[in-house]
Amino acid sequence: MKILAIDTSCDETSVAIVEDTKVLSNVISSQVRYHKKYGGVVPMLAGRLHEERIENVVELSLKRAALSRSDLDAIAVTYGPGLAPALQVGIAKAKALASALQKPLYGVNHMAGHIAACFAQIGAKDVPSMQFPFLAVLISGGHTELVVVESFGEFQIIGQTLDDALGEAYDKVAKMLGLGYPGGKLVAELADEGEVVYDLPIAMRQSGDLNLSYSGLKNAVRLLIEEVKGKHTDGFLTRQEIVDICASFQEVAQQSLLLKIERALSARPELKQLVVGGGVAANLVLRRKLRTVGDAHDLTVVFPANTKLCTDNAAMIGAAAYFGIQAGQMPVTTEQLDRVPYLSLEDTSFTKK
Ligand code: KG4
Ligand code: ZN
């Protein structure tokens, strides 16, 4: 089944074509350089830029897959969660394509896409199949969620951040250190050069639940930066101090997540896989630690096959539509489909049989 999928939930205009779980094309047009000067994504600007680009990105996606519109079997689109003016553009385009081509239209939850990304196939490399029930750990710029997946479409959120997302915490630390936006990846790279020499707090360690919090850590890093800067007459951090702050932050940020994952896995021995998606799943240090956790619990750990499938992309939306259809998801009419900016994974409006 060939599905053309669209994701315009945030600041990437992405259109992909998948054949079942196989990625035939995955075009991502990033707007990052336009939002950079504002230090974050500006929703109306994102909407306008999606509008300008979407048609070309659709064309390029078809071209890279060497397909024409008539080869397509279905259209899928993210309808939430995401920025309303941004979601709007992808939805309008998907509706127009589905109507013009007389093909079924599927609404996809962006977070279900981040789960599906772990099982999408790129090139000839084999990917594992889903073993239910599994624990999905979703770590992105907007979300940090621990989700039990009973079947594709039956998602139960068992833990989540009460404030900032993990990727957002990385980005905010980058901003505080003057590393630019979005600086999560840069913080991770600098952390590799540093040592964990500063003591930072692990939030929610004692809470009996599986929730997380990153705003306390962010504030602790802010105070730490001020304190270390205060030791210099010129008020500037040395490179060694910067890399050590990154390493100390990363250690605690990851440890608090690992603690809750450990707790979830211990409480639920029936879980068969540990599936990790979202932008922060690109972090190699975290991947290593998660593999160790998986080994200790005798679980396979599944990550997206490449970095492009970790951060926002439309191939994951196509794969999620495919898995949803396999599980009985029905198409929607153009009247039924509307953006839902705060859509939860537990919402089954379009996925219930
Ligand atoms: O999944 P994603 O593209 O966006 C949302 O759907 O929110 O994730 C982007 C997030 C950003 O916060 C970015 O800083 C973070 O993922 N990120 C990383 C790494 N690469 C991207 N964080 C830590 N280490 C990385 N290597
Ligand atoms: Zn995302």
Side-chain angles (χ1 to χ4, degrees):
M1 179 175 205
K2 295 189 186 74
I3 305 172
L4 181 143
I6 302 178
D7 185 275
T8 60
S9 58
C10 193
D11 61 345
E12 331 270 3
T13 314
S14 185
V15 179
I17 297 167
V18 298
E19 181 164 16
D20 301 347
T21 59
K22 200 168 160 33
V23 181
L24 302 183
S25 66
N26 189 17
V27 181
I28 303 165
S29 169
S30 175
Q31 308 175 353
V32 131
R33 66 196 170 97
Y34 296 91
H35 297 284
K36 227 182 183 110
K37 59 174 175 277
Y38 304 103
V41 180
V42 182
M44 293 308 284
L45 176 61
R48 195 155 50 74
L49 291 168
H50 285 311
E51 194 76 64
E52 278 173 19
R53 294 157 178 226
I54 188 78
E55 182 54 33
N56 284 343
V57 180
V58 167
E59 285 304 330
L60 190 56
S61 188
L62 284 162
K63 196 171 158 201
R64 287 200 185 154
L67 293 173
S68 66
R69 290 172 191 232
S70 57
D71 296 320
L72 301 170
D73 300 304
I75 308 293
V77 64
T78 301
Y79 71 103
L83 305 169
L87 289 166
Q88 183 63 33
V89 179
I91 292 171
K93 187 53 150 185
K95 286 181 180 179
L97 282 167
S99 304
L101 301 170
Q102 294 285 298
K103 298 293 175 191
L105 174 65
Y106 294 91
V108 175
N109 184 313
H110 179 84
M111 300 313 290
H114 277 301
I115 299 175
C118 301
F119 300 95
Q121 196 190 339
I122 302 261
K125 207 171 150 206
D126 273 346
V127 283
S129 52
M130 290 182 194
Q131 309 278 316
F132 301 110
F134 62 77
L135 181 69
V137 176
L138 302 178
I139 39 181
S140 69
H143 293 79
T144 301
E145 292 176 340
L146 268 54
V147 184
V148 171
V149 183
E150 292 287 348
S151 69
F152 202 83
E154 249 183 296
F155 304 116
Q156 188 199 356
I157 300 170
I158 58 169
Q160 60 190 315
T161 181
L162 302 179
D163 40 60
D164 295 347
L166 179 54
E168 189 180 358
Y170 267 91
D171 293 336
K172 286 182 175 167
V173 167
K175 203 168 172 179
M176 287 185 241
L177 289 170
L179 302 174
Y181 167 86
K185 190 165 172 267
L186 201 51
V187 168
E189 282 164 11
L190 293 172
D192 288 343
E193 293 175 39
E195 298 284 336
V196 182
V197 297
Y198 301 110
D199 230 357
L200 290 164
I202 296 189
M204 314 281 291
R205 184 203 280 270
Q206 308 298 350
S207 78
D209 56 25
L210 298 171
N211 291 327
L212 291 140
S213 161
Y214 284 108
S215 75
L217 175 58
K218 173 188 69 189
N219 287 328
V221 172
R222 191 189 311 279
L223 293 173
L224 174 65
I225 292 172
E226 279 171 22
E227 186 194 319
V228 180
K229 273 184 177 169
K231 291 181 183 157
H232 298 284
T233 46
D234 63 2
F236 287 108
L237 298 172
T238 64
R239 182 175 170 86
Q240 191 59 49
E241 285 163 348
I242 291 174
V243 297
D244 288 345
I245 289 170
C246 289
S248 305
F249 157 76
Q250 170 157 288
E251 173 66 20
V252 169
Q254 295 189 351
Q255 213 180 323
S256 53
L257 177 68
L258 291 162
L259 261 167
K260 297 299 165 112
I261 293 173
E262 283 273 10
R263 192 174 292 173
L265 294 176
S266 301
R268 294 183 179 243
E270 72 277 16
L271 294 168
K272 296 198 177 77
Q273 281 171 327
L274 176 56
V275 172
V276 190
V280 189
N283 188 291
L284 296 178
V285 175
L286 184 60
R287 282 191 179 209
R288 206 165 51 233
K289 292 178 185 166
L290 286 164
R291 283 201 191 93
T292 307
V293 171
D295 286 348
H297 290 266
D298 218 5
L299 295 170
T300 44
V301 187
V302 190
F303 299 104
N306 65 19
T307 311
K308 254 175 100 173
L309 285 172
C310 292
T311 47
D312 288 350
N313 70 91
M316 69 183 199
I317 303 306
Y322 172 76
F323 289 122
I325 293 165
Q326 295 299 102
Q329 182 177 346
M330 298 302 289
V332 286
T333 63
T334 50
E335 291 76 30
Q336 276 172 317
L337 190 65
D338 198 1
R339 61 192 182 185
V340 183
Y342 294 98
L343 181 65
S344 162
L345 260 182
E346 292 181 352
D347 187 308
T348 53
S349 315
F350 292 163
T351 49
K352 217 166 192 156
K353 275 185 232 178

